[in-house]
């Protein structure tokens, strides 16, 4: 059902910056908090651009936004993430490169002898690990963060398990009780590492795969038996990065190479299939699963024609008034024939696809996304949430009000039915000049949130986060 309360043009206002931190303090509740929502919502993302002289939204200083819910009350915290390279930059002692920002000559020369040239902003995602949190980005080690106070505790290689970087996205296979990560090891030779984090055992590295260069691999997928790595035709080399001084500035779009699909067995880490399909770029996977009765795999993702989508984030204030071209697509991967067929499911301003986590690595009907109304022509911030029905093509719209930017949805199961979920997302309310965590009933046709938890101050929307159940 499309929003009937109001129609709004594209939301183009710049995001606010986070200027100061706070510990867990009581937050104002509007509406109601469901009694069964007991736990902590945590989101990571760029939050301040002036402290690190950022020239791109992705290069902002990372911060955790956390809201603890329970007993019909809420407490919220805001904490910047610190790493050695971030602190060196803030203190004026070093100038490492970031996503789009150039590194200093000294740091680039040091990288020739094995030092990492990248500034560890740890500003993309966050995940619980044992009794702590790991703050993640691309190309660097994770930063360990205390769960109780969100205090940064420095980079970690998890006791020597990590050979290099741990990338920002991870995917779980419930039947294996294991969460999987990938990492890109950048040096004279470039490798992709696949890691398994079992619930009841230490993390382990499953395999390494030699890559022809450095690429922007933001996300991947898993099924019950395979990891699916999609290598888009966006490449650079370690030397080119150091010569040009910038990671994003050295990447080259090479459509003639096509997009490569790599399938890795989760049983033994062996590469079972590699084949080329048509060129495209993507940031985020919705999910993947194996089809019953044959070897084919279904893969849902948000697809772009090329890497031009990166340009919309070039201004740290947010996306300018220019269109971009995402579409929600399904690929049918046929490893025996070495083919992939792609079907466009929904062409709209959309991103951050999420499904019910109880259906991870298995077929599911619904996909939740941040989105825009069609008349906004894919410009500005996402200002709606949608639930896309893959069986009927129907779209249910939800909103937080006029002039509200909505971030990535977090899907929290509450029953056995796939639609029986709570949906949470951070919302920046331009009219109110403040940010809140909104809670929607995923099974209801009601467009507005049932509850809002207010910071009562401007807090920028982040990128990715998680829900940690329990007191």
């Amino acid at each position: 059902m499309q929003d009937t309360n109001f129609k709004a043009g594209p939301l183009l206002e710049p995001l606010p910056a986070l200027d100061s931190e706070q510990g867990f303090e009581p937050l104002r509740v509007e509406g109601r908090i469901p009694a069964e929502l007991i736990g902590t919502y945590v989101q990571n993302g760029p939050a301040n651009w002036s402290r690190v002289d950022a020239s791109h939204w992705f290069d902002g200083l990372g911060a955790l936004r956390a809201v603890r819910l329970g007993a019909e009350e809420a407490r919220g915290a805001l904490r910047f993430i610190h790493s050695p390279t971030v602190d060196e930059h803030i203190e004026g002692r070093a100038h490492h490169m970031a996503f789009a920002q150039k590194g200093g000559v000294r740091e680039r020369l040091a990288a020739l002898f094995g030092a990492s040239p990248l500034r560890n902003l740890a500003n993309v995602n966050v995940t619980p690990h044992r009794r702590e949190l790991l703050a993640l980005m691309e190309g660097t080690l994770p930063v360990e963060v205390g769960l109780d106070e969100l205090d940064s505790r420095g980079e970690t290689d998890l006791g020597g398990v990590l050979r290099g970087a741990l990338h920002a996205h991870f995917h779980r296979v419930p039947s294996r009780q294991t969460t999987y990560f990938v990492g890109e090891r950048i040096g004279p030779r470039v490798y992709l590492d696949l890691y398994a984090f079992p619930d009841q055992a230490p993390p382990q590295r499953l395999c390494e795969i030699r890559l022809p260069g450095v690429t922007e691999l933001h996300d991947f997928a898993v099924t019950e038996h395979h990891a699916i790595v999609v290598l888009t035709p966006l490449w650079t080399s370690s030397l080119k990065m150091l010569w040009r001084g910038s990671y994003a500035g050295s990447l080259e779009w090479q459509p003639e190479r096509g997009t490569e699909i790599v399938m890795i067995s989760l049983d033994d880490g062996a590469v079972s299939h590699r084949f080329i399909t048509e060129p495209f770029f993507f940031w985020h996977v919705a999910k993947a699963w194996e089809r019953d009765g044959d070897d084919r795999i279904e893969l849902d993702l948000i697809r772009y024609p090329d890497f031009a989508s990166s340009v919309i984030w070039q201004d740290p204030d947010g996306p300018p008034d220019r269109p971009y071209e995402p579409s929600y697509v399904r690929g049918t991967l046929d490893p025996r024939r070495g083919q992939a067929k792609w079907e466009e499911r929904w062409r709209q301003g959309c991103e951050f696809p999420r499904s019910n986590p109880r259906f991870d690595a298995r077929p599911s009907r619904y996909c939740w996304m941040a989105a825009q109304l069609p008349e906004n022509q894919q410009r500005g911030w996402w200002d709606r949430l949608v639930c896309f029905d893959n069986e009927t093509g129907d779209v249910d719209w939800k909103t937080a009000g006029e002039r509200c930017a909505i971030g990535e949805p977090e899907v929290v199961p509450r029953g056995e039915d796939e639609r029986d979920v709570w949906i949470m997302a951070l919302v920046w309310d331009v009219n109110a000049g403040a940010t809140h965590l909104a809670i929607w009933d995923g099974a209801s046709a009601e467009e507005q949130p049932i509850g809002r938890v207010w910071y009562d101050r401007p807090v920028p929307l982040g990128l990715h986060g998680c829900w940690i159940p329990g007191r």
Side-chain angles (χ1 to χ4, degrees), residues 118 120 122-129 133-144 156-158 161-171 179-186 191-197 203-206 217-218 220:
L118 294 173
N120 192 348
N123 66 355
V124 181
N125 207 346
V126 60
T127 181
H129 176 64
L133 298 170
L134 297 179
L136 307 164
M137 64 172 282
E138 261 80 73
T140 63
L141 290 171
V143 172
E144 190 176 49
T156 176
D157 63 3
L158 301 179
V161 173
L162 302 182
R163 294 284 188 91
L166 195 66
H167 278 198
H169 280 281
F170 47 90
H171 293 278
T179 303
Y180 295 88
F181 294 76
V182 295
E184 202 171 351
R185 217 177 331 140
I186 299 174
Y191 293 91
L192 174 78
D193 295 308
L194 175 64
Y195 295 97
F197 283 48
Q204 58 180 306
R205 188 171 64 92
L206 292 183
L217 179 61
H218 184 68
F220 71 112

Side-chain angles (χ1 to χ4, degrees), residues 140-350:
T140 63
L141 290 171
V143 172
E144 190 176 49
V145 177
L147 181 58
D148 292 335
E149 301 298 333
L150 305 184
D151 52 309
S152 300
R153 299 178 177 178
E155 296 176 340
T156 176
D157 63 3
L158 301 179
V161 173
L162 302 182
R163 294 284 188 91
L166 195 66
H167 278 198
H169 280 281
F170 47 90
H171 293 278
R172 181 169 175 78
V173 181
S175 63
R176 293 175 178 263
Q177 298 184 31
T178 301
T179 303
Y180 295 88
F181 294 76
V182 295
E184 202 171 351
R185 217 177 331 140
I186 299 174
R189 295 182 176 181
V190 182
Y191 293 91
L192 174 78
D193 295 308
L194 175 64
Y195 295 97
F197 283 48
D199 293 351
Q200 305 299 327
Q204 58 180 306
R205 188 171 64 92
L206 292 183
C207 69
E208 67 176 23
I209 301 171
R210 176 85 179 270
L211 296 180
V214 180
T215 186
E216 174 58 41
L217 179 61
H218 184 68
D219 202 355
F220 71 112
V222 293
T223 67
E224 294 275 0
H225 299 97
H226 292 91
I228 313 297
V229 178
V230 181
L231 300 173
T232 64
L234 184 69
W235 295 98
T236 185
S237 66
S238 303
L239 287 177
K240 191 175 294 183
M241 283 174 56
L242 298 180
W243 175 255
R244 296 187 179 178
S246 164
Y247 169 63
S250 68
L251 290 168
E252 296 178 353
W253 183 249
Q254 303 173 17
E256 69 280 0
R257 297 178 65 164
T259 293
E260 184 175 14
I261 308 293
V262 183
M263 298 174 55
I264 306 169
S265 169
L266 297 181
D267 293 325
D268 58 12
V271 175
S272 58
H273 297 89
R274 299 182 76 150
F275 56 94
I276 302 295
T277 184
E278 61 200 68
F280 65 86
F281 183 75
F282 78 103
W283 291 108
H284 299 116
V285 164
K287 66 182 310 178
W289 65 94
E290 294 155 9
R291 289 178 32 159
D292 292 335
D294 60 34
D295 294 329
R296 287 178 290 181
I297 288 172
E298 306 282 13
L299 172 65
D300 290 358
L301 51 78
I302 307 295
R303 172 170 161 160
Y304 297 82
D306 52 35
F307 191 53
S309 62
S310 173
V311 177
I312 69 172
W313 310 111
Q314 190 134 355
D315 186 342
D317 286 340
D321 187 6
R322 69 181 71 180
Y324 49 104
E325 303 178 76
S327 56
Y328 175 59
V329 303
R330 174 165 295 176
T332 300
L333 312 183
D334 189 338
R336 288 195 177 186
R337 292 181 172 86
Q339 296 176 344
K341 295 182 179 180
W342 301 94
E343 174 194 359
E344 185 175 83
R345 290 296 178 97
W346 196 51
R347 187 173 184 81
Q348 186 58 55
C350 58

Side-chain angles (χ1 to χ4, degrees), residues 86-95 106:
V86 162
D87 290 340
E88 286 177 355
H89 182 91
I90 292 174
E91 295 166 4
R93 294 188 289 114
H95 298 279
R106 184 181 68 180

